[in-house]
């Protein structure tokens, strides 16, 4: 049974649909910035630390640069900054990757930072830590930055993603982080991840990523990311594994759903929950959906993952599971043991749910229409035909 601990407000159905044209002036500015290959080569990403007092940074550097650090301050002019030294690793393809962890952050503070590669500094970026337990997150999936010219090329897809982040931030200035449920890149290439994080907006938001099946096409994801508590995941692979972090009153458990080992995932969740027994919410994020079931040719895959993972989520009282992969959109009823235990309706409130809500976000960059798609009776809210870029804001 779940602990009597909370009220779930399912404002999850408040999906934001975004559509916008690319203005010629904005595109020109982007072209100029993109032509600065030195900046484009860095691919700076800020990811969660173990909790809100930490942030993890990672970026690409030339192969001949062997030192890195992050300078951070509460002053934009960096007059009184602290320096955090990092480690440098080779990606085996001619680039070095910097990995730095910043600690000792305080709640409700604005911080400014610059990434230092040898003697060269990046521009100054900023981010905010949350004060108290409330925060807002931008949840999306299947961004698919691509190097493929026919599919849009890296510069164009990176610009479209940057434009979307700008619009989302203008819509809701309190967005504090991005939850990305996999397939950030199309072929798992370094250049695609550089495009993913080229926008200054992305560098002001904590960017939590799950590994998708497309991310696993290359090995760049492992080098590009700098994730907390990976050692607790007990999963070793060239591309990455599980990790967890705490933000506010939420324990986020990020799972590599390409790995079909129930034992690996159960042990990981057990350890994370044991280390954080008093955290109110438990949210899993992973790439593959379980109950969307809209594509017949993927139902066998969904069924296998349901058999592996659903019992584990039931055992550890997971409140919400955020997924992607199918490029369709759905929110399930409250499910336990694979069955509906409580109905969900658009805008409803559920008190102390004795089960888990499963959410599938459609592709933020590659809308998919399928006239043959069908939803099971476990799905409460679904949308399978749309042409817009789609993302969600979760409070």
């Amino acid at each position: 049974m779940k602990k009597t601990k909370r009220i779930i407000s399912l404002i999850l159905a408040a999906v934001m649909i975004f559509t916008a044209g690319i203005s010629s002036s904005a595109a020109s500015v982007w072209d100029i910035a993109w032509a600065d290959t030195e900046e484009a080569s860095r691919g700076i990403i800020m990811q969660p630390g173990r909790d809100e007092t930490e942030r993890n940074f990672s970026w690409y550097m030339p192969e001949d640069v062997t030192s890195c650090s992050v300078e951070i301050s509460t002053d934009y002019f960096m007059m009184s900054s602290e320096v955090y030294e990092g480690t440098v690793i080779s990606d085996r393809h001619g680039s070095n990757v910097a990995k730095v962890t910043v600690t000792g952050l305080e709640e409700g503070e604005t911080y400014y930072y610059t990434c230092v590669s040898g003697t060269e500094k990046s521009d100054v970026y900023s981010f905010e830590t949350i004060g108290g337990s409330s925060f807002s997150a931008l949840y999306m999936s299947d961004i698919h930055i691509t190097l493929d010219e026919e599919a849009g090329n890296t510069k164009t897809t990176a610009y479209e993603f940057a434009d979307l982040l700008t619009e989302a931030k203008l819509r809701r200035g309190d967005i504090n982080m991005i939850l990305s449920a996999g397939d950030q890149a199309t072929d798992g290439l370094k250049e695609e991840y550089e495009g993913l994080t080229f926008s200054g907006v992305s560098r002001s938001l904590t960017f939590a990523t799950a590994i998708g099946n497309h991310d696993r096409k290359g090995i760049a994801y492992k080098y590009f990311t700098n994730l907390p508590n990976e050692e607790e995941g007990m999963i070793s692979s060239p591309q990455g594994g599980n990790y967890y972090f705490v933000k506010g009153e939420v324990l986020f458990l990020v799972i590599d759903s390409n790995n079909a080992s129930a034992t690996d995932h159960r042990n990981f969740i057990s350890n994370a929950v044991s280390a954080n027994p008093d955290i109110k919410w438990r949210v899993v994020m992973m790439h593959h959906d379980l109950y969307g079931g809209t594509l017949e040719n993927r139902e066998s895959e969904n069924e296998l993952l349901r058999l592996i993972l659903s019992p584990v989520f039931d055992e550890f009282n997971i409140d919400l599971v955020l997924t992607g992969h199918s490029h369709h959109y759905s929110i399930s009823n409250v499910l336990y043991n694979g069955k509906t235990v409580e109905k969900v309706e658009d805008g409803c409130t559920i008190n102390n749910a004795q089960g888990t809500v499963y959410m599938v976000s459609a592709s933020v960059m590659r809308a998919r229409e399928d006239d043959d798609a069908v939803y099971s009776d476990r799905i409460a809210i679904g949308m399978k035909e749309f042409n817009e870029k789609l993302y969600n804001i979760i409070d």
Side-chain angles (χ1 to χ4, degrees):
M1 296 290 289
K2 277 189 183 284
K3 294 171 286 186
T4 305
K5 59 181 183 180
R6 69 270 183 271
I7 295 175
I8 301 178
S9 183
L10 279 176
I11 314 287
L12 299 174
V15 181
M16 303 299 179
I17 305 296
F18 163 69
T19 178
I22 299 176
S23 70
S24 58
S25 58
S28 297
V29 171
W30 185 261
D31 286 341
I32 294 170
W34 193 265
D36 183 358
T37 54
E38 191 171 48
E39 171 68 9
S41 71
R42 293 194 181 107
I44 297 168
I45 186 170
M46 176 176 64
Q47 299 200 276
R50 294 173 181 269
D51 55 34
E52 192 64 1
T53 69
E54 298 182 355
R55 291 293 189 278
N56 286 330
F57 296 85
S58 182
W59 67 94
Y60 289 106
M61 305 188 301
E63 192 174 27
D64 59 349
V65 177
T66 57
S67 65
C68 64
S69 62
V70 168
E71 292 185 13
I72 192 163
S73 175
T74 55
D75 171 27
Y76 172 79
F77 297 102
M78 310 294 287
M79 297 298 290
S80 56
S81 61
E82 292 188 59
V83 178
Y84 290 83
E85 302 290 340
T87 58
V88 178
I89 61 174
S90 171
D91 72 351
R92 298 186 290 172
H93 291 287
S95 294
N96 280 345
V97 184
K99 294 182 183 288
V100 182
T101 297
V102 169
T103 61
L105 302 175
E106 297 182 1
E107 289 189 357
E109 187 65 78
T110 299
Y111 287 95
Y112 302 90
Y113 72 93
T114 183
C115 297
V116 185
S117 305
T119 59
E120 184 180 359
K121 294 184 179 182
S122 73
D123 291 339
V124 175
Y125 305 103
S126 67
F127 67 94
E128 297 178 359
T129 55
I130 64 170
S133 60
S134 299
F135 63 93
S136 297
L138 188 63
Y139 157 50
M140 61 183 66
S141 186
D142 298 86
I143 300 167
H144 280 290
I145 304 298
T146 182
L147 202 64
D148 185 352
E149 287 291 335
E150 292 186 2
N153 74 49
T154 309
K155 183 175 76 169
T156 301
T157 52
Y159 177 78
E160 291 175 352
F161 180 57
D163 201 34
L164 181 144
L165 290 182
T166 300
E167 193 275 345
K169 191 68 174 170
L170 287 173
R171 182 189 294 268
R172 282 284 300 275
D174 61 341
I175 292 171
N176 187 264
M177 71 181 306
I178 300 171
L179 297 167
S180 179
D183 282 359
Q184 287 76 210
T186 298
D187 293 300
L189 300 174
K190 168 193 168 186
E191 293 82 1
E192 294 169 335
Y193 295 116
E194 289 172 341
L196 178 77
T197 56
F198 190 75
S199 164
V201 177
S202 75
R203 299 175 186 188
S204 70
L205 298 171
T206 306
F207 207 145
T209 58
I211 186 169
N213 56 302
H214 280 265
D215 295 306
R216 284 175 60 92
K217 287 186 175 183
I219 61 172
Y221 180 85
K222 176 69 173 179
Y223 295 103
F224 170 71
T225 55
N226 187 6
L227 304 170
N229 294 307
E230 277 194 295
E231 67 277 7
E232 301 295 329
M234 298 175 294
I235 300 171
S236 178
S237 80
Q239 290 91 353
N242 298 346
Y243 69 97
Y244 70 86
F245 62 96
V246 172
K247 191 174 184 73
E249 294 183 310
V250 184
L251 171 62
F252 284 98
L253 302 141
V254 186
I255 285 176
D256 178 4
S257 55
N258 299 283
N259 178 355
S261 170
T263 300
D264 282 347
H265 297 311
R266 186 194 179 281
N267 289 342
F268 162 70
I269 293 177
S270 177
N271 287 351
V273 168
S274 295
N276 300 275
D278 299 322
I279 299 298
K280 182 181 290 188
W281 306 93
R282 297 171 186 171
V283 175
V284 165
M285 182 170 71
M286 63 184 190
H287 182 58
H288 296 82
D289 65 28
L290 301 187
Y291 291 101
T294 57
L295 301 177
E296 185 177 354
N297 64 333
R298 286 186 173 173
E299 175 54 22
S300 60
E301 179 182 63
N302 290 357
E303 184 177 17
L304 172 63
L305 288 172
R306 284 198 294 271
L307 291 172
I308 293 169
L309 294 174
S310 294
V312 179
F313 299 159
D314 288 345
E315 178 184 358
F316 290 100
N317 301 324
I318 302 302
D319 297 296
L320 176 66
V321 177
L322 302 174
T323 65
H325 189 53
S326 68
H327 292 217
H328 289 277
Y329 177 86
S330 68
I331 298 174
S332 76
N333 290 310
V334 182
L335 303 179
Y336 187 85
N337 196 24
K339 298 178 181 178
T340 296
V341 294
E342 190 166 354
K343 291 281 190 179
V344 170
E345 295 179 356
D346 193 357
C348 74
T349 297
I350 296 175
N351 299 317
N352 194 31
Q354 305 299 306
T356 303
V357 173
Y358 293 81
M359 187 169 179
V360 187
S361 185
S363 172
V364 72
M365 299 284 279
R366 291 187 177 182
R368 174 181 287 160
E369 294 186 19
D370 192 338
D371 293 336
D372 297 324
V374 291
Y375 293 106
S376 74
D377 58 6
R378 290 174 291 206
I379 299 303
I381 300 166
M383 178 167 44
K384 61 187 180 183
E385 296 182 7
F386 53 90
N387 294 306
E388 316 295 348
K389 293 178 173 62
L390 185 149
Y391 60 84
N392 314 273
I393 297 174
I394 298 180
D395 299 313

